[in-house]
Amino acid sequence: MFGGNVIIAEDLHVRFRTGLFRREVRALNGLSLEVRHGDFFALVGQNGAGKSTAMYCFLGLLKPTSGRVRISGQIPDLGSRLYEKVAYLPEEPHYHLYLTVEEATRYYASLYGKRVSDKKINETLERLGLAQFKHLSLSKCSKGMKQKVGIAQCLIHEPQVLFLDEPTRGLDPLAVREFRETLREIHQRGATIVMNSHVLSEIEMLANRVAIIESGKVVVQDDLRNLLTLNQELYTVSFEANGHVPNYLSSIERAGNVVKGSISKDKLYEFMEFARDSSLHLHECSLKRNSLEDSFFKIVKGGELASASEAMEAAPVAGEHQS
Amino acid sequence: MAELLRANILADLAYYRRSRLLLAFMLLFLLLTGLGSLPPLFANSGIQSFNALQDIFSELNGFLLVLCAGLGLFIISSHLRSRSLKMVFTKPCPPALWLLSAFLSAVIVSLLLNLVVLVSTTILSVIWHVPVRQGLIFVSGETFAASIGLIAYLMLLATLVHPAVAAVSALIFNADLFYEFQVWTQASIRSGNSSPWLRALEKLFHGLYILFPMLEPFGKKTAQIHNSLRVMHGEWKFLLYSLIYALTLSAFCYCLALFALQRKKHI
C-alpha cells in the first residue's frame, strides 16, 4: 500500500493562535510529500517556512490540525516500537542539561531498551571528539558540543530512518566534514535520511531528493539532479575557433583562440554540424549546471513574482467592484 | 522495559541530585530545624526533651511532605518546559513508562528521606535519653504514604498547568479546605438555616472533600499516635489503610496525568 515510501504526509495543516489577540498563525498550509526508502531527503525553505514544524509532525511531536502522516505505514505514536529504527537530532539543544556528556549519551542510547556497553559509548565519544569532555555537564557545553552529543545518540544504534534538524548548526568545519562523511556512510548502508538545512551547498553534496517549502507547503519536490538542471536549456561549449563564431553563441569568453560560450538546447545539433563541418577542436560541450542556491532562488522568487502578478491581475477586478 | 525503567530512574535521580533549587530548599529547612533543636540541648527534664523531639520530628515530616510535593512538581514541569521529552518520546520509550519512572524515582527519594528522618530522630532519642517509641515508625510510614499521594497529585497538576499555578492550586484547593467549608455549612444548617441551597452546598463540599487528595485520610484515628508516639494493638492497620489510599490516589492521578501528557498538542 505504501510502496517504497518511508514517509507519507498528506495535506498537513498546522494552525495555532498566539499573542494577546489570539492571532491565527498557519505554520503548515497543506503540506504533502513522500520520502522513498533509501532517500537522502532535504527540506529546504526560508526561516519560518515550516520545515521544523513539518519534521515535528513526521515524528509525532506535533499533532497536525488536519491531514495525516504515516511513517513506514504507521501513524507516529510517540514512544512506540516504530521508533526502534528512528533517530532524531533536534535543531534546538533540547537535551537533559543536568546530565554529563557521557551520562546523556548512555541515557539516550538506553532508551532503545538495550544496555549499551561502555566500550561502544567511549568509541562513539572518541569518534566525535567528546571523550575529553565526557564528565562535563551538558549545561556547561558549547552549542557545538551539545550538537555532537545529539549526533552521538543518533549514531549509536545504527538507525534506519534519521531525522536531522539543522544538524551542522554550531559545528566547527572539521566536525562538519566528519559528520558529512558519517552521514554518507549511514546512507550507503541503506538508511533513509530526512534533513532540514539552510546550508544549500551541504544539501547539494548529500541529498538525492529535495523539497522546497514555502509558506507551509511544498512548492517543489524533485530529485536533486532535476533541480540542478531546472528549466535548463543551455549547454556550455568551449572550442578552438578558426575564424567564424556562430551568432547563436552567447556569453562568449575568449582566451587566445579558445572560445567559451553558451548555446540553447535547440541550437545544439546545429552547433554539432557546424563543429563537424568546420573541423573544430572541441574542448567541452556539457549541460550547464545550476547550483541548488540558483534553483532555490529561481523557485522561491519565481513564486513571489507569480503571486505578485496574480495580485496585479486581480487588482483591476477589485477596482471595478469598487466603482 | 526493565532497562527503560532503570535508565529513566537513574536520569531522574541525577536530576534530583543536581537540582540546586531542591538542594537550597533542603539546606534552608535543615538549618531552621537545626536552630529549632538547639533549645532542647539545655532542657533538664525528660518531658521537655520528649516534647522537643516530637516537635522536631513533626517539623521534619512536614518538611518532607513539602519537599516530596516539590519532587513531583519539578520532575514533570522541568522536563516539559525544557522540551527535553522530545529526546525521550522519539525513541521506543512510551510516555506511560517515562511517567512511571518519574513517579518511582520521586518515591525512592521520598523513601530515603523518610529513612533519614526516622534514623536521625531515633539517634536524637538515644542522645536525649528519650525512650525510642514505635510511633516514630508509624508516623514515618504515614508520612511516606502521604508523600506518595502528594507526589502523584503534584505530577498530575504539573502536566496540566504552569508549575507556579500547580503549587498554588495544591496549597489552596485540597481536602482540608473543603472539609472546613463542609463543617461551616453543617454548622449553619444546625443553627436553623435550612435553605436548600445550603444543603446542596454542604453536599458539594462533602463531594469535593472526598474527591480532593487528603494528606491524612485517617487523621482523626491516628492523632493520638502523633501526640504520644505510642501505637496501640490494632492501630497498625491505619498505616496499611493510608498506604492503600495513597496507592489508589496515585493510580488515579497517574492515569489522568498520562492522559493529559498524551493529549498535549506539542511535546
Side-chain angles (χ1 to χ4, degrees):
Chain A
M1 182 184 168
F2 289 87
N5 291 324
V6 175
I7 301 167
I8 297 179
E10 287 174 349
D11 198 25
L12 290 183
H13 287 263
V14 173
R15 290 184 216 115
F16 54 89
R17 294 189 176 275
T18 182
L20 188 64
F21 299 105
R22 311 301 293 152
R23 190 174 59 87
E24 190 183 74
V25 176
R26 291 174 177 226
L28 292 185
N29 206 6
L31 181 136
S32 299
L33 59 78
E34 287 169 4
V35 179
R36 296 178 307 217
H37 176 76
D39 269 351
F40 197 127
F41 196 96
L43 296 171
V44 182
Q46 300 176 72
N47 288 331
K51 304 183 299 292
S52 293
T53 309
M55 200 171 265
Y56 290 162
C57 287
F58 300 159
L59 283 158
L61 290 167
L62 180 67
K63 291 186 179 86
T65 315
S66 64
R68 63 175 210 159
V69 180
R70 294 283 185 280
I71 297 186
S72 305
Q74 295 176 53
I75 297 170
D77 182 21
L78 285 178
S80 63
R81 295 181 73 87
L82 169 71
Y83 293 88
E84 277 174 359
K85 298 292 173 195
V86 171
Y88 166 55
L89 176 69
E91 180 188 8
E92 297 294 329
H94 289 141
Y95 304 128
H96 293 66
L97 297 178
Y98 52 87
L99 296 175
T100 64
V101 168
E102 188 187 14
E103 284 170 347
T105 311
R106 188 183 304 281
Y107 172 52
Y108 296 139
S110 306
L111 290 177
Y112 286 88
K114 295 170 211 155
R115 196 171 290 194
V116 185
S117 66
D118 287 349
K119 193 181 161 208
K120 191 157 189 182
I121 298 279
N122 288 333
E123 270 173 13
T124 311
L125 293 179
E126 199 83 50
R127 186 176 172 187
L128 290 160
L130 287 171
Q132 54 182 319
F133 305 108
K134 66 181 187 181
H135 299 302
L136 190 68
S137 165
L138 279 185
S139 60
K140 289 178 185 149
C141 287
S142 67
K143 197 167 183 181
M145 279 163 71
K146 282 179 200 157
Q147 195 75 341
K148 282 183 180 178
V149 172
I151 293 168
Q153 58 93 27
C154 277
L155 303 181
I156 228 156
H157 280 293
E158 300 183 354
Q160 284 175 5
V161 186
L162 240 97
F163 291 91
L164 310 168
D165 202 350
E166 299 285 352
T168 52
R169 207 169 140 179
L171 291 184
D172 57 83
L174 271 177
V176 169
R177 191 172 180 163
E178 211 164 298
F179 180 57
R180 208 184 291 138
E181 289 310 312
T182 312
L183 283 185
R184 274 202 191 105
E185 261 175 50
I186 295 172
H187 185 227
Q188 275 163 9
R189 243 180 12 225
T192 306
I193 301 176
V194 181
M195 179 168 95
N196 275 350
S197 182
H198 288 297
V199 189
L200 297 178
S201 57
E202 193 173 84
I203 288 173
E204 219 176 307
M205 278 187 261
L206 292 167
N208 69 318
R209 274 177 73 74
V210 175
I212 296 178
I213 299 180
E214 179 69 7
S215 306
K217 60 178 156 191
V218 175
V219 286
V220 170
Q221 182 187 185
D222 209 340
D223 285 353
L224 178 73
R225 61 167 181 265
N226 293 341
L227 285 174
L228 293 179
T229 55
L230 190 73
N231 298 330
Q232 194 63 50
E233 291 175 341
L234 289 181
Y235 284 78
T236 301
V237 290
S238 167
F239 57 90
E240 281 175 31
N242 47 14
H244 176 65
V245 174
N247 57 3
Y248 47 80
L249 196 69
S250 59
S251 313
I252 298 170
E253 290 168 30
R254 287 175 190 271
N257 67 336
V258 177
V259 176
K260 191 176 181 181
S262 302
I263 52 170
S264 62
K265 190 181 175 183
D266 54 337
K267 293 289 180 189
L268 185 64
Y269 288 104
E270 202 175 320
F271 174 76
M272 286 302 179
E273 276 173 21
F274 164 75
R276 196 183 56 210
D277 296 344
S278 317
S279 307
L280 283 184
H281 185 60
L282 204 57
H283 289 186
E284 184 192 354
C285 179
S286 61
L287 185 66
K288 199 172 180 179
R289 281 171 66 91
N290 274 334
S291 67
L292 182 60
E293 195 176 79
D294 296 332
S295 303
F296 176 72
F297 277 104
K298 210 179 236 175
I299 290 161
V300 172
K301 292 293 169 190
E304 278 174 14
L305 284 175
S307 44
S309 61
E310 275 170 24
M312 290 280 278
E313 280 168 23
V317 179
E320 279 167 29
H321 280 296
Q322 278 169 4
S323 63
Chain B
M1 184 170 155
E3 179 58 27
L4 284 176
L5 265 178
R6 187 186 148 275
N8 278 307
I9 288 175
L10 285 179
D12 291 340
L13 291 179
Y15 168 79
Y16 291 133
R17 217 167 50 234
R18 290 166 193 162
S19 169
R20 287 183 186 167
L21 195 65
L22 286 174
L23 194 70
F25 185 63
M26 209 182 293
L27 286 176
L28 178 75
F29 197 86
L30 283 179
L31 185 73
L32 291 176
T33 314
L35 287 174
S37 64
L38 280 178
L41 289 176
F42 308 103
N44 49 13
S45 79
I47 293 173
Q48 278 178 321
S49 296
F50 176 78
N51 287 341
L53 185 82
Q54 200 190 27
D55 284 348
I56 290 170
F57 187 51
S58 158
E59 243 177 85
L60 281 174
N61 281 328
F63 154 70
L64 256 182
L65 286 177
V66 179
L67 186 70
C68 291
L71 297 178
L73 182 71
F74 289 130
I75 193 75
I76 300 292
S77 63
S78 73
H79 283 92
L80 280 178
R81 296 183 75 73
S82 70
R83 298 212 174 277
S84 57
L85 289 182
K86 271 181 193 171
M87 300 301 295
V88 180
F89 297 159
T90 51
K91 298 185 171 54
C93 175
L97 208 129
W98 178 81
L99 198 63
L100 182 66
S101 317
F103 173 70
L104 289 179
S105 60
V107 169
I108 290 169
V109 175
S110 162
L111 180 66
L112 285 175
L113 290 174
N114 264 289
L115 285 174
V116 168
V117 169
L118 181 63
V119 170
S120 314
T121 319
T122 310
I123 291 170
L124 274 182
S125 297
V126 174
I127 292 171
W128 290 346
H129 306 292
V130 175
V132 180
R133 292 185 177 170
Q134 285 184 330
L136 288 177
I137 299 170
F138 185 94
V139 175
S140 274
E142 207 181 35
T143 309
F144 175 58
S147 68
I148 292 176
L150 210 52
I151 287 167
Y153 181 50
L154 264 295
M155 281 173 82
L156 165 65
L157 290 179
T159 53
L160 297 172
V161 288
H162 187 278
V165 179
V168 172
S169 305
L171 277 174
I172 297 173
F173 300 106
N174 53 47
D176 286 348
L177 175 85
F178 296 108
Y179 179 71
E180 279 175 32
F181 283 166
Q182 191 195 354
V183 169
W184 172 74
T185 45
Q186 278 172 344
S188 295
I189 291 166
R190 276 197 211 104
S191 64
N193 188 345
S194 58
S195 155
W197 287 108
L198 207 61
R199 286 187 185 281
L201 214 56
E202 193 265 330
K203 292 228 178 322
L204 175 73
F205 288 145
H206 180 69
L208 289 170
Y209 164 64
I210 298 291
L211 193 71
F212 274 78
M214 298 174 209
L215 278 183
E216 291 170 351
F218 305 97
K220 282 180 196 164
K221 312 250 183 193
T222 59
Q224 191 53 36
I225 302 173
H226 286 256
N227 290 334
S228 63
L229 293 179
R230 283 178 202 277
V231 190
M232 297 298 158
H233 184 68
E235 283 182 327
W236 284 102
K237 67 181 177 201
F238 294 115
L239 181 58
L240 182 68
Y241 294 164
S242 297
L243 209 57
I244 291 170
Y245 173 80
L247 290 176
T248 312
L249 173 69
S250 302
F252 179 67
C253 289
Y254 171 81
C255 292
L256 285 182
L258 181 61
F259 180 71
L261 195 63
Q262 285 172 332
R263 294 279 298 169
K264 279 204 180 295
K265 273 192 176 172
H266 190 189
I267 292 291

